[in-house]
Amino acid sequence: MLDECNPLVKIFRRARDFLEHHKGIDIAIRIIGANKGDRIQYEMPHQEELAMLIMNITPLSQLCPGIYNYVICVRISRVWEFHGKNDDDTIKHLDLVIIDQKGTAMYAEVPPEAISNLQAQLQENKILIKRKIYVDNAKQSHKPVRGAYMIRLHPKTVLEEVKYEPQDFPKYTFLLTPFTELPKLEGNNEYFIDVIGHVTALSDPTQFTTTNGDVRMKRLIHLMDLRGNKIEISLWGPRAGEFPGDQILQAGEKNHIIAIFVGTSVKSYGGSPPFLSGTAACRWYINLPEIHEINAFYASIGELHQPIEKLYIQTTNEMQGKIEQKTLLQMKSVDPFDDVNKRFECTMTITRIADNEPWCYQGCTKCTTSVKHEGNSYVCKNGHVSSQMIHRYKISLYGTDGTYELEFMIFDERGTLLVGKTADKLLIHNSKSEIPPEIGAIVREKLTVVVKVSPGKSINKKGPNRDNKDPTFDILNIKKRHGKDLLSCTLKNEEAAAPLATNAISQLQKLPPLVPIQPKTQETKVPRLESTSPNDLQLMEIDQISPFHDFSPSRKRDFNATDDSDLEETHNVEQLTMFAKRVKTKD
């Protein structure tokens, strides 16, 4: 019999009764040893941890906005930094996927101002008790888990690590999507996608130039499901290097490699088959026997085994050869029918903003197409239905490099990068029918850009531009900003160049001669010579040059000259090999 008068026993009883009553977190309090007189040996948590355990822990399934005194106990399943489109940009927020002991998962976000205080404690696989948090509605897109709400941490959030780990506390959370359903999800960014498959091929991480002209690290992986359907996964940026490709290739020579990828998106470019894109939010679980889904897949895969194939990715230098560098005069002859898949690089100066077209449009929150307001919802051209919409840039501008002037279109993120503000922010003080000063300020900006021809704008000219037969180009990437070009030429075509020079000379000849302004000279004091006669002094020879000698009109700058001035821990090879003992390879 336990000594009920022992204060430690009373604490344990009270903690157990409290937790059973509130149905919060299940804990195991183990009493070890035997009754030795008045002493009992206990295995118990640290005093601070015990104090936290008897607090009112709320399950994630019961959280809702408007209450600020929640205390939760969760494991961090995933954590990643979100930098935006460019991995080299400053961190915008820290993202988490957390799970409570009942298996409920939720997305949590750490704002920039709280990252320095909390990031050191927010490590994957840790169990933490969190206080001073607040609950918000879930985001409209790129949600890693299902759920109506999300958690936002605060600089005042308090984190306490739970060092006593219950054996049944979940580590992983995912919702697997069959390969056959993936094509339907193309362009739907509401949720990240999780899949499971057998790794059949992979590449080394390679520097790769995207269709937008960005240079990023990329790795390709091929997955196959149990029915023989295949899907390609592209890992980008740091994730490409973190994937244990060498271990997988070595272990895959004799063993099956079963992998779950979480946090991916369905993409497709230029009519290509859909593929999965994995960036910062992507994680993988490879041949882990504690995951039921991996065991079930492995049990159904069969005895036949083939070594993993090695894939090859074209390097940046090889891809760069496919981006043609052209002048605007050369781009004038681009065919919007035949050259739709070509990419061009040019350096041009923005001469004007088209004032006959709106500079923004109502866009879908799940893709980049426009939406229509139907009832209480917004419906886009791809069929996505949402209760909200977002204003996106669609700026029509003209640029020249001195050889010709062409029309360019700049959209969304690239517009935000160039203008410095989002379209929604500009609409606070401006209307769609007027060009905001912030957009007008980009005139005279000199840019090096990667572009492609816009078939719709080039072929089907409308309104005031219907007589303009020149192609229009979409700006895919701003490789370099050269600053303001105050001497930019505004030539419309090459025929206008000669008359402009002739007129300039004739006007100059009618003007009166320039009056030269001599620089100021500093007076020099010459010491008085007492004993020197005038005959002993040598006079300095001074060349008398007329200010109008050899006068000729100055030439304009040649604008044809270009300016010279954009880890999830995995098992090692031995562990991967031990997982698949029963496969026999044939010579």
Side-chain angles (χ1 to χ4, degrees):
M1 297 290 293
L2 296 177
D3 183 6
E4 297 293 339
C5 296
N6 190 306
L8 290 178
V9 173
K10 290 183 178 180
I11 291 176
F12 284 131
R13 300 282 192 198
R14 187 163 62 253
R16 183 196 62 190
D17 294 342
F18 183 90
L19 294 172
E20 288 181 353
H21 174 72
H22 287 84
K23 302 297 181 183
I25 178 173
D26 300 328
I27 64 171
I29 302 176
R30 293 178 288 175
I31 302 176
I32 62 174
N35 194 347
K36 299 179 180 179
D38 294 334
R39 300 181 62 187
I40 298 179
Q41 295 179 350
Y42 298 96
E43 180 182 343
M44 69 176 189
H46 188 272
Q47 182 177 359
E48 294 180 358
E49 295 175 15
L50 181 62
M52 298 299 292
L53 288 173
I54 64 177
M55 298 179 68
N56 186 11
I57 305 296
T58 302
L60 295 181
S61 60
Q62 297 181 14
L63 301 184
C64 59
I67 300 176
Y68 301 98
N69 61 348
Y70 283 126
V71 179
I72 61 174
C73 182
V74 296
R75 184 193 296 276
I76 299 177
S77 179
R78 304 174 224 159
V79 57
W80 66 94
E81 296 178 354
F82 180 74
H83 293 263
K85 294 290 183 181
N86 193 338
D87 296 326
D88 296 328
D89 290 345
T90 57
I91 181 173
K92 291 180 170 53
H93 47 78
L94 193 67
D95 297 341
L96 311 170
V97 172
I98 57 177
I99 318 173
D100 66 10
Q101 193 174 6
K102 296 182 180 297
T104 304
M106 186 173 284
Y107 167 73
E109 184 178 290
V110 185
E113 61 270 18
I115 291 177
S116 59
N117 294 337
L118 305 178
Q119 188 170 18
Q121 295 174 275
L122 298 172
Q123 303 298 318
E124 288 184 355
N125 205 36
K126 276 189 176 182
I127 298 178
L128 300 174
I129 292 177
K130 301 181 180 183
R131 296 186 293 113
K132 297 184 179 180
I133 61 174
Y134 67 100
V135 183
D136 200 353
N137 292 323
K139 293 184 174 182
Q140 292 294 317
S141 63
H142 297 100
K143 292 180 280 191
V145 294
R146 267 57 173 174
Y149 306 122
M150 61 175 286
I151 291 175
R152 296 189 186 274
L153 276 63
H154 190 272
K156 294 184 179 295
T157 295
V158 177
L159 305 176
E160 295 286 343
E161 183 177 356
V162 177
K163 296 180 180 179
Y164 173 75
E165 179 179 332
Q167 295 181 354
D168 60 344
F169 212 119
K171 293 183 179 180
Y172 315 104
T173 180
F174 43 78
L175 182 61
L176 299 177
T177 300
F179 286 9
T180 53
E181 298 294 321
L182 295 177
K184 304 175 185 178
L185 299 174
E186 180 184 345
N188 186 345
N189 295 324
E190 184 174 3
Y191 294 103
F192 281 118
I193 305 300
D194 309 333
V195 295
I196 185 173
H198 169 212
V199 178
T200 61
L202 61 85
S203 73
D204 292 329
T206 308
Q207 277 199 334
F208 176 82
T209 302
T210 68
T211 55
N212 293 346
D214 297 323
V215 179
R216 302 178 66 189
M217 195 66 70
K218 178 182 180 180
R219 186 197 291 268
L220 293 180
I221 301 169
H222 288 180
L223 282 187
M224 184 169 64
D225 66 10
L226 293 173
R227 296 184 178 182
N229 300 307
K230 293 184 179 181
I231 192 71
E232 182 176 274
I233 299 178
S234 296
L235 297 181
W236 296 95
R239 290 294 177 262
E242 293 166 2
F243 188 80
D246 293 338
Q247 298 178 37
I248 298 299
L249 281 172
Q250 186 175 347
E253 292 179 357
K254 299 181 179 180
N255 303 282
H256 291 298
I257 305 298
I258 315 302
I260 292 176
F261 286 86
V262 299
T264 69
S265 302
V266 182
K267 302 286 186 180
S268 177
Y269 293 124
S272 67
F275 64 92
L276 294 175
S277 177
T279 54
C282 182
R283 286 291 187 276
W284 46 81
Y285 311 119
I286 305 172
N287 279 13
L288 298 184
E290 64 265 34
I291 297 181
H292 168 74
E293 288 80 0
I294 289 181
N295 282 317
F297 192 102
Y298 179 66
S300 304
I301 200 172
E303 297 286 342
L304 183 62
H305 169 73
Q306 291 182 348
I308 295 176
E309 178 187 355
K310 189 68 176 290
L311 300 174
Y312 175 76
I313 302 177
Q314 287 184 319
T315 64
T316 297
N317 292 335
E318 293 169 335
M319 291 295 296
Q320 187 66 28
K322 295 185 177 181
I323 300 179
E324 303 178 34
Q325 295 188 358
K326 289 183 176 292
T327 66
L328 269 60
L329 179 58
Q330 293 171 329
M331 290 167 55
K332 174 181 181 294
S333 60
V334 169
D335 191 321
F337 294 94
D338 296 336
D339 301 329
V340 65
N341 292 322
K342 292 184 178 181
R343 301 294 183 266
F344 308 99
E345 181 179 319
C346 62
T347 298
M348 58 89 173
T349 299
I350 300 173
T351 56
R352 55 194 173 100
I353 308 297
D355 57 3
N356 53 10
E357 295 189 31
W359 53 270
C360 69
Y361 68 98
Q362 292 183 341
C364 179
T365 58
K366 301 174 183 178
C367 64
T368 58
T369 60
S370 60
V371 297
K372 291 184 178 180
H373 196 202
E374 299 181 2
N376 296 325
S377 302
Y378 293 93
V379 182
C380 77
K381 295 179 180 179
N382 290 330
H384 300 144
V385 180
S386 177
S387 60
Q388 297 179 338
M389 62 85 185
I390 183 173
H391 286 99
R392 301 182 183 274
Y393 280 117
K394 182 185 177 183
I395 304 174
S396 172
L397 57 89
Y398 289 84
T400 183
D401 62 352
T403 66
Y404 206 76
E405 184 185 67
L406 291 174
E407 183 184 22
F408 297 85
M409 300 297 300
I410 189 165
F411 294 90
D412 213 23
E413 291 92 351
R414 290 169 290 281
T416 301
L417 177 66
L418 187 59
V419 176
K421 295 181 180 180
T422 64
D424 276 319
K425 287 186 177 180
L426 291 192
L427 283 172
I428 297 176
H429 303 291
N430 302 276
S431 66
K432 294 181 181 180
S433 59
E434 298 178 353
I435 299 176
E438 291 87 346
I439 295 180
I442 69 176
V443 173
R444 302 285 183 176
E445 280 270 2
K446 186 176 181 180
L447 310 171
T448 297
V449 294
V450 175
V451 302
K452 71 178 182 68
V453 68
S454 174
K457 289 278 293 182
S458 302
I459 298 171
N460 188 21
K461 298 286 186 178
K462 295 180 180 179
N465 294 328
R466 62 181 177 271
D467 296 329
N468 183 359
K469 304 304 180 184
D470 296 334
T472 300
F473 294 87
D474 292 339
I475 296 178
L476 302 177
N477 181 35
I478 301 175
K479 293 191 65 174
K480 186 172 184 179
R481 298 180 69 169
H482 302 271
K484 292 283 187 177
D485 186 354
L486 301 180
L487 301 176
S488 64
C489 181
T490 58
L491 299 181
K492 171 61 183 174
N493 53 44
E494 68 278 15
E495 291 81 9
L500 178 63
T502 303
N503 293 337
I505 293 175
S506 62
Q507 292 178 7
L508 189 60
Q509 291 175 344
K510 296 178 182 179
L511 295 174
L514 291 174
V515 178
I517 306 298
Q518 298 291 352
K520 291 183 179 180
T521 57
Q522 187 175 1
E523 294 183 0
T524 304
K525 294 182 179 181
V526 180
R528 184 175 181 181
L529 302 177
E530 299 288 347
S531 59
T532 305
S533 65
N535 297 330
D536 295 329
L537 295 178
Q538 296 180 355
L539 297 178
M540 296 178 60
E541 294 183 358
I542 302 177
D543 293 334
Q544 298 296 326
I545 300 177
S546 170
F548 306 104
H549 179 67
D550 291 334
F551 174 80
S552 62
S554 61
R555 295 183 180 180
K556 290 183 175 291
R557 174 185 173 186
D558 183 7
F559 286 90
N560 293 319
T562 58
D563 195 328
D564 292 334
S565 355
D566 197 308
L567 201 170
E568 179 75 7
E569 181 180 353
T570 59
H571 290 300
N572 58 29
V573 176
E574 289 76 12
Q575 291 173 310
L576 291 170
T577 304
M578 290 177 60
F579 176 70
K581 291 289 187 180
R582 65 184 175 87
V583 178
K584 297 180 180 180
T585 59
K586 297 181 180 181
D587 294 333

